Amino acid sequence: MRTHATAQLIGGRSHQCDATATYTGAGSGTRAYALLDGIGSSDEVRDWTRTYARRLARAAARDGAEGGLRAVHALAAAEPDRDTWKAAHLPAAVAVVAVAAPGEPLAVAWCGDSRAYLAPDGLPLVRLTTDHNMRQVLLDLGAVPGPYARNTVTSYLGDIRDTPAIGTVTAPATGRLLLASDGCYEPLEDHDLDLTAYLAGTPHQAARALVQAAVAHAGPHADNATALVADL
């Protein structure tokens, strides 16, 4: 039986610019799960995001969640024209990666607002990540964010700042892991729906139920919705 699965729906976008990848280190048993949400909707963003999802999964399986994300972040920042006026037209993406290594806690690293959740065996779903977006910035300042504050991310692959905002966390490596793009979790949260309710069944069934529910509740302007579900 497969222990992980991904489901995606394009929503109302012209392109599917979310991407996932998994990679298992040869001989080590370490497995990395990565999810990227491309910023924009074009052939170029789609292809770039798919490439960087694979790069992130490989790097994280080798160097750990934080080490892998920092290496791939630096790689994206070093691309030609990132420090010129052309940068605004280059592909970029938010990212989250989780690494499960034998005998070690689950390690998660992220930049942006794609999320990682964990449902420990027999316990409710817990969010592991904190969003890097203007909504969270305003909440941290004690202000009330407007309805579109969440649409501005404050950390992403392609950012050239010397000290990028990269979050890290560890958790017990047991239970069901969920990686989700904002197009997956936002519509459900907006309707006060508990993501746990969609996690029953196999990983494929759970991932599919999540993205179908997300697009169904998003209305006519549904975003790309992607879920990666893994049983650790």
Side-chain angles (χ1 to χ4, degrees):
M1 179 182 295
R2 292 189 62 186
T3 58
H4 70 277
T6 293
Q8 293 186 296
L9 288 177
I10 196 169
R13 293 298 192 102
S14 62
H15 294 71
Q16 175 55 266
C17 292
D18 293 349
T20 65
T22 61
Y23 190 86
T24 304
S28 69
T30 298
R31 176 169 286 177
Y33 307 91
L35 185 150
L36 272 64
D37 181 351
I39 299 172
S41 192
S42 68
D43 290 345
E44 187 179 19
V45 172
R46 178 196 61 207
D47 296 345
W48 188 93
T49 303
R50 290 176 179 176
T51 296
Y52 269 82
R54 294 191 293 268
R55 288 175 174 170
L56 178 56
R58 288 195 300 268
R62 181 186 64 241
D63 300 329
E66 181 179 3
L69 182 54
R70 288 192 181 279
V72 171
H73 195 288
L75 184 66
E79 288 180 331
D81 296 325
R82 283 288 177 191
D83 60 349
T84 72
W85 64 269
K86 296 180 182 179
H89 305 286
L90 297 178
V94 300
V96 59
V97 61
V99 176
E104 298 183 14
L106 179 73
V108 179
W110 72 96
C111 60
D113 60 357
S114 287
R115 293 180 179 175
Y117 299 82
L118 183 67
D121 295 327
L123 296 174
L125 191 70
V126 175
R127 176 151 65 103
L128 302 178
T129 54
T130 301
D131 297 337
H132 294 142
N133 59 21
M134 282 305 300
R135 175 177 58 186
Q136 190 62 50
V137 169
L138 292 170
L139 288 172
D140 290 343
L141 292 173
V144 178
Y148 301 107
R150 68 192 188 192
N151 295 336
T152 301
V153 295
T154 55
S155 184
Y156 54 92
L157 297 180
D159 186 356
I160 64 171
R161 286 176 290 182
D162 292 335
T163 55
I166 291 178
T168 62
V169 69
T170 60
T174 182
R176 176 158 280 189
L177 171 71
L178 167 64
L179 305 184
S181 66
D182 64 345
C184 179
Y185 66 77
E186 289 281 11
L188 300 178
E189 289 191 347
D190 287 348
H191 286 80
D192 296 321
L193 298 172
D194 185 355
L195 275 66
T196 308
Y198 301 93
L199 285 178
T202 66
H204 174 75
Q205 289 169 333
R208 191 69 183 170
L210 279 163
V211 298
Q212 287 177 333
V215 170
H217 286 87
H221 303 295
D223 196 0
N224 296 159
T226 298
L228 187 158
V229 176
D231 287 333
L232 305 176

